[in-house]
Amino acid sequence: MKIIMLGAPGAGKGTQAKMIAEKYSVPHVSTGDIFRANIKNGTELGKQAKEYMDAGKLVPDELTVKILLDRVAQDDCKNGYVLDGFPRTIPQAQVLEDALNKLGEKIDYAINVDVPDENIVKRMSGRRACLKCGATYHIEHIPPKQEGICDTCGSELVLRDDDKPETVLNRLKVYHDQTQPLIDFYSERNVLKTVDGTRDLKDVFADIIAILG
Ligand code: AP5
Ligand code: MG
């Protein structure tokens, strides 16, 4: 099963993608997590990506596409995957579609987690992230068992550099300009499913499971 998560920054793509990946035993592939791991490890890719990310801009397609195609070509992806944060532009979606076409494959579902802009800024300022394992918490809605510490791997939790309110507003603008057109792209391919992402995360997940079967 090949699934794409669509939605604004902070809509809950990562939160839901992790739960889907666990339930259906497929890898959760997040380009944002891949970039953050590279930044943390001080790689050349990380240095290049950080500049764009901290400004709330998209990392250029040239850097992003190759990383994603390499990742989904790995063995653990042969039975499917959940893509979170990719594609984010029409050219990225086209490259992915072409690569899958060559293999006689296609995306099965594009799940659009719908959350209005008003809710987003509030969510982001409360988010805490684990840069080691990618787990995400929220200080009010989804607190870790011990404040500031990841339940899964015991690492320190941080406020992401790009979760500052002014950067979030930039990311929202970039989302509406460059990523939202993907809703039509996948709708035309009859794989788009929209869920209301403003509700409790368990209810959102129940809707997604009802779609995926
Ligand atoms: P990325 O890491 O993908 O960030 P994003 O799309 O901006 O999305 P977020 O991770 O911020 O939000 P999310 O939807 O995953 O929400 P979450 O589940 O955490 O990308 C970061 C940057 O990398 C980009 O800006 C760009 O620069 C670059 N990049 C990445 N991919 C790229 C690409 N393909 N091309 C170019 N550049 C790329 O939830 C948010 C918060 O809300 C959390 O605290 C969570 O606990 C809480 N929450 C979740 N669900 C609920 C709920 N139902 N109710 C209440 N709270 C909830
Ligand atoms: Mg995320």
Side-chain angles (χ1 to χ4, degrees), residues 31-192:
T31 38
D33 285 352
I34 295 173
F35 289 137
R36 281 185 287 277
N38 274 275
I39 291 172
K40 189 159 181 260
N41 295 329
T43 69
E44 190 50 41
L45 171 70
K47 275 181 212 146
Q48 289 178 313
K50 185 171 173 29
E51 248 181 71
Y52 297 97
M53 290 170 73
D54 285 356
K57 294 182 184 159
L58 294 185
V59 178
D61 288 347
E62 305 85 84
L63 290 178
T64 309
V65 162
K66 184 175 181 313
I67 289 161
L68 190 277
L69 292 182
D70 285 350
R71 178 64 190 89
V72 297
Q74 284 171 23
D75 248 13
D76 63 333
C77 288
K78 64 176 185 298
N79 294 326
Y81 40 76
V82 191
L83 298 187
D84 159 21
F86 188 100
R88 248 187 167 86
T89 62
I90 295 281
Q92 289 182 11
Q94 249 141 15
V95 170
L96 177 64
E97 187 170 73
D98 291 348
L100 288 174
N101 274 342
K102 278 187 195 142
L103 301 169
E105 295 173 2
K106 65 176 194 61
I107 292 299
D108 299 299
Y109 297 98
I111 305 212
N112 176 30
V113 184
D114 189 29
V115 177
D117 288 9
E118 306 83 92
N119 302 33
I120 297 282
V121 180
K122 227 197 276 167
R123 274 199 191 177
M124 305 299 243
S125 55
R127 172 163 59 184
R128 295 296 177 273
C130 175
L131 296 183
K132 185 153 183 237
C133 75
T136 297
Y137 303 86
H138 190 282
I139 50 177
E140 282 168 37
H141 309 298
I142 312 158
K145 292 196 184 81
Q146 196 187 337
E147 196 186 319
I149 305 290
C150 179
D151 293 350
T152 313
C153 74
S155 301
E156 193 191 345
L157 299 176
V158 298
L159 178 70
R160 273 168 42 180
D161 285 341
D162 58 348
D163 279 350
K164 288 175 286 185
E166 62 275 22
T167 311
V168 171
L169 293 178
N170 255 339
R171 286 162 64 196
L172 275 171
K173 183 175 183 320
V174 168
Y175 167 75
H176 290 298
D177 290 349
Q178 302 198 50
T179 308
Q180 209 169 14
L182 293 175
I183 292 178
D184 286 343
F185 182 95
Y186 287 108
S187 173
E188 283 160 17
R189 282 145 183 85
N190 293 320
V191 293
L192 184 80

